[in-house]
C-alpha cells in the first residue's frame, strides 16, 4: 500500500492545533430540554407545603367561603365564632335579616370597580391582558368580590342590662383598596394515610393526655350556633338527657329567635325536641305550668301549650304573677275565659250531685210527699 502524504488530502501539516469540542448541550435535542424543564416545573407546582395534600377553601356550614355573602362574628367572654352564610337563607328564615339586608336599610358594600383574582390584592393593578380587560380574568367575569356583601357583629351596648344583638358593620378595606373577606382555614381534599389500629389507639390516648382542658362554650355562642344550624336544616345541639337543662337551652334559644323574628322556623324544632322526653315532659309541665305555658306559646306547640293551660286554669290565680307582663293579653284573656267556664261547669256538676244525694232524715229520697220544701229546692 502506497504511503500518501498529508498534502495529498489537503490536510493541515501542523498537528498541534485541534478544533474545540462542540458544546455538549448543543447536541441535545431542544425538545428534551423543554420537556425536562416543563416536567420539573409541573412537579414543583403539585407540591404542597402543608402535609403533602392539596387544599381548597371550605364551602359548607358554617363557613361558605366560596358562595357566602353574609359574614357574622359572635364574640362573648373571650370566645369568638365566625360564620359565612347566605343572605337568601337568612332572609327567608328571619325577618330581621330580611329587613336589614333590603335595599332601603342595608349598608351593603359592593366593590365592582376594583376586581380581584383569587383574593390577591396585587392583581388589582389596571393591566390589560389578551381579553382586553383587567389582568387575570376574562371580561364580564363575576368574582366573589363583585357580589354584594354584609357583615354583622354582636353589639353589647353601653349598659349592663342591655341585650346583646347583631349590628351591621361596614366591611373593612385592605391595603390595596379591596374588601377584607374572612377566609376560613383550608380543608384538605385527601384523607390522611391509614394506620393500624394499635397505632391509632396509642396516638389517641397520648393526644388525649396532652390536650389541655378547654373552656365550655359560651351560652350566647351556643344559642347563635343553634339558631343558624336550624336555618340550614341541621339539628340543634340541645341536651337530650336532662330535661331541666334542655328547658333552659330551649327557652334561651326561643328568646333569641323571638328577637330576630324567627319563631316560625325555630319553634317546630323545639317542639320536636321536647316531645321526645314523653312522660318526663308531662311531669315537668304539671310541676311548672306557667313556665311551660310561656315556652309552648313561643314554640307554637299546641300540645305543650294545651297541657300547660289545663294546669294554669286549674290553679288560677296562683300563677298570675308569673304570666302577667310575660305573655300577650290575648293569652291572659283566654285563661280568664277558661276559668269562668270551669267555674260554671263546677256549679252544674255540684248541682247534679246534690240532687242525686239529697235524702230525708230517715234516708228516704226527697219527694213532694215527705219533704215538699226540699223537693222545690231541687227543682230550682
Amino acid at each position: 500500500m502506497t504511503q500518501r502524504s498529508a498534502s495529498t488530502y489537503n490536510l493541515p501539516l501542523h498537528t498541534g492545533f485541534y478544533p474545540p469540542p462542540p458544546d455538549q448541550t448543543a447536541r441535545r435535542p431542544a425538545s428534551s430540554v423543554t420537556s425536562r424543564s416543563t416536567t420539573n416545573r409541573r412537579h414543583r407546582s403539585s407540591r404542597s407545603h402543608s402535609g403533602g395534600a392539596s387544599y381548597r377553601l371550605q364551602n359548607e356550614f358554617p363557613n361558605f367561603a366560596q358562595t357566602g355573602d353574609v359574614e357574622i362574628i359572635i364574640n362573648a367572654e373571650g370566645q369568638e365564632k365566625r360564620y359565612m352564610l347566605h343572605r337568601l337563607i337568612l332572609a327567608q328564615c328571619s325577618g330581621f335579616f330580611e329587613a336589614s339586608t333590603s335595599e332601603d336599610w342595608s349598608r351593603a358594600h359592593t366593590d365592582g370597580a376594583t376586581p380581584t383574582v383569587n383574593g390577591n390584592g396585587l392583581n388589582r393593578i389596571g393591566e390589560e391582558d389578551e381579553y382586553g380587560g383587567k389582568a387575570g380574568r376574562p371580561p364580564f367575569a363575576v368574582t366573589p368580590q363583585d357580589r354584594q356583601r354584609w357583615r354583622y357583629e354582636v353589639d353589647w351596648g353601653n349598659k349592663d342590662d342591655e341585650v346583646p344583638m347583631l349590628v351591621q358593620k361596614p366591611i373593612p378595606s385592605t391595603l390595596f383598596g379591596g374588601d377584607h373577606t374572612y377566609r376560613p382555614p383550608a380543608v384538605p381534599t385527601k384523607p390522611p394515610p391509614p394506620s393500624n389500629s394499635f397505632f391509632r389507639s396509642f396516638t389517641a390516648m397520648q393526644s388525649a393526655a396532652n390536650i389541655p382542658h378547654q373552656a365550655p362554650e359560651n351560652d350566647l355562642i351556643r344559642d347563635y350556633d343553634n339558631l343558624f344550624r336550624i336555618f340550614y336544616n341541621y339539628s340543634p345541639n340541645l341536651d337530650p338527657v336532662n330535661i331541666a337543662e334542655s328547658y333552659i337551652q330551649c327557652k334561651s334559644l326561643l328568646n333569641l329567635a323571638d328577637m330576630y323574628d324567627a319563631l316560625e322556623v325555630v319553634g317546630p324544632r323545639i317542639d320536636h325536641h321536647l316531645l321526645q322526653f314523653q312522660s318526663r315532659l308531662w311531669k315537668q309541665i304539671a310541676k311548672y305550668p306557667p313556665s311551660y305555658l310561656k315556652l309552648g306559646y313561643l314554640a307554637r306547640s299546641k300540645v305543650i301549650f294545651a297541657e300547660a293551660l289545663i294546669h294554669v286554669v286549674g290553679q288560677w290565680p296562683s300563677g298570675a304573677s308569673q304570666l302577667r307582663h310575660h305573655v300577650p293579653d290575648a293569652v291572659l284573656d283566654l285563661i280568664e275565659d277558661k276559668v269562668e267556664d270551669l267555674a260554671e261547669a263546677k256549679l252544674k256538676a255540684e248541682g247534679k250531685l246534690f240532687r242525686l244525694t239529697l235524702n230525708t232524715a230517715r234516708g228516704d229520697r226527697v219527694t213532694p210527699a215527705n219533704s215538699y220544701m226540699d223537693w222545690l229546692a231541687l227543682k230550682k
Side-chain angles (χ1 to χ4, degrees):
M1 181 175 182
T2 304
Q3 185 177 2
R4 298 183 181 182
S5 62
S7 60
T8 307
Y9 296 96
N10 295 326
L11 296 177
L13 297 177
H14 56 277
T15 58
F17 173 78
Y18 296 94
D23 190 3
Q24 299 296 328
T25 58
R27 288 186 290 179
R28 296 176 184 173
S31 60
S32 63
V33 177
T34 306
S35 62
R36 175 165 300 196
S37 60
T38 306
T39 304
N40 292 337
R41 285 197 298 269
R42 187 183 300 111
H43 179 69
R44 286 195 296 269
S45 64
S46 62
R47 284 179 188 168
S48 174
H49 300 280
S50 302
S54 59
Y55 278 68
R56 59 181 175 83
L57 291 178
Q58 184 179 0
N59 195 45
E60 59 184 9
F61 183 86
N63 296 307
F64 294 90
Q66 300 179 13
T67 60
D69 52 5
V70 179
E71 182 181 2
I72 301 176
I73 305 174
I74 311 297
N75 294 301
E77 297 181 356
Q79 300 181 16
E80 180 181 285
K81 194 160 187 179
R82 292 172 175 260
Y83 300 86
M84 182 62 71
L85 306 177
H86 304 92
R87 183 258 174 192
L88 178 62
I89 295 179
L90 294 177
Q92 288 177 348
C93 299
S94 170
F96 168 81
F97 288 104
E98 182 181 7
S100 61
T101 57
S102 62
E103 296 181 358
D104 297 334
W105 299 95
S106 177
R107 299 177 185 175
H109 178 71
T110 305
D111 187 17
T114 56
T116 63
V117 179
N118 297 328
N120 188 359
L122 295 176
N123 291 335
R124 296 176 182 273
I125 302 174
E127 297 179 353
E128 299 290 334
D129 59 0
E130 66 270 19
Y131 295 101
K134 293 295 181 180
R137 65 166 185 172
F140 308 109
V142 179
T143 63
Q145 286 76 11
D146 293 336
R147 293 197 306 265
Q148 199 173 19
R149 296 194 303 278
W150 295 263
R151 179 186 177 95
Y152 291 88
E153 295 181 6
V154 173
D155 184 11
W156 291 85
N158 299 325
K159 299 180 181 179
D160 296 337
D161 57 346
E162 291 186 6
V163 179
M165 190 171 183
L166 289 176
V167 176
Q168 193 172 142
K169 298 287 186 179
I171 300 177
S173 300
T174 61
L175 177 63
F176 298 98
D179 296 334
H180 172 72
T181 304
Y182 167 70
R183 302 215 178 259
V187 178
T189 57
K190 297 181 180 180
S195 59
N196 55 56
S197 59
F198 173 76
F199 180 75
R200 284 199 305 267
S201 60
F202 180 77
T203 305
M205 289 188 296
Q206 196 174 29
S207 60
N210 297 330
I211 293 177
H213 176 71
Q214 296 181 355
E217 189 178 26
N218 181 268
D219 294 342
L220 183 67
I221 295 179
R222 180 204 62 206
D223 293 338
Y224 273 101
D225 186 67
N226 286 332
L227 180 68
F228 297 141
R229 288 178 65 88
I230 293 175
F231 286 176
Y232 280 83
N233 203 24
Y234 287 95
S235 299
N237 293 325
L238 302 172
D239 195 324
V241 179
N242 190 345
I243 187 173
E245 182 67 22
S246 181
Y247 166 80
I248 296 174
Q249 296 175 358
C250 292
K251 179 182 177 182
S252 179
L253 179 56
L254 285 172
N255 290 332
L256 184 67
D258 187 22
M259 188 167 57
Y260 291 101
D261 193 15
L263 287 175
E264 295 183 359
V265 179
V266 178
R269 285 283 188 172
I270 301 299
D271 183 29
H272 173 73
H273 175 75
L274 290 177
L275 290 179
Q276 294 178 352
F277 290 99
Q278 298 179 357
S279 61
R280 287 187 292 168
L281 176 62
W282 314 133
K283 293 179 182 179
Q284 288 293 109
I285 293 177
K287 192 175 182 179
Y288 308 103
S291 300
Y292 278 90
L293 180 70
K294 293 183 289 185
L295 186 140
Y297 175 78
L298 290 177
R300 296 344 191 228
S301 174
K302 296 181 179 180
V303 178
I304 297 177
F305 182 82
E307 184 70 17
L309 181 63
I310 293 173
H311 294 280
V312 169
V313 170
Q315 301 174 7
W316 192 261
S318 61
S321 59
Q322 302 181 33
L323 293 176
R324 296 190 188 278
H325 308 294
H326 294 284
V327 295
D329 294 337
V331 177
L332 295 176
D333 295 340
L334 176 63
I335 294 174
E336 293 176 355
D337 293 341
K338 294 296 182 181
V339 170
E340 294 178 357
D341 295 341
L342 179 61
E344 294 179 1
K346 288 171 62 178
L347 290 176
K348 292 180 180 180
E350 290 175 354
K352 291 181 179 180
L353 293 174
F354 181 74
R355 295 186 186 94
L356 293 175
T357 58
L358 185 60
N359 299 325
T360 61
R362 297 179 180 181
D364 299 332
R365 188 178 181 84
V366 173
T367 60
N370 55 19
S371 181
Y372 182 74
M373 298 300 297
D374 293 338
W375 180 80
L376 288 177
L378 290 176
K379 293 301 182 183
K380 293 181 181 180

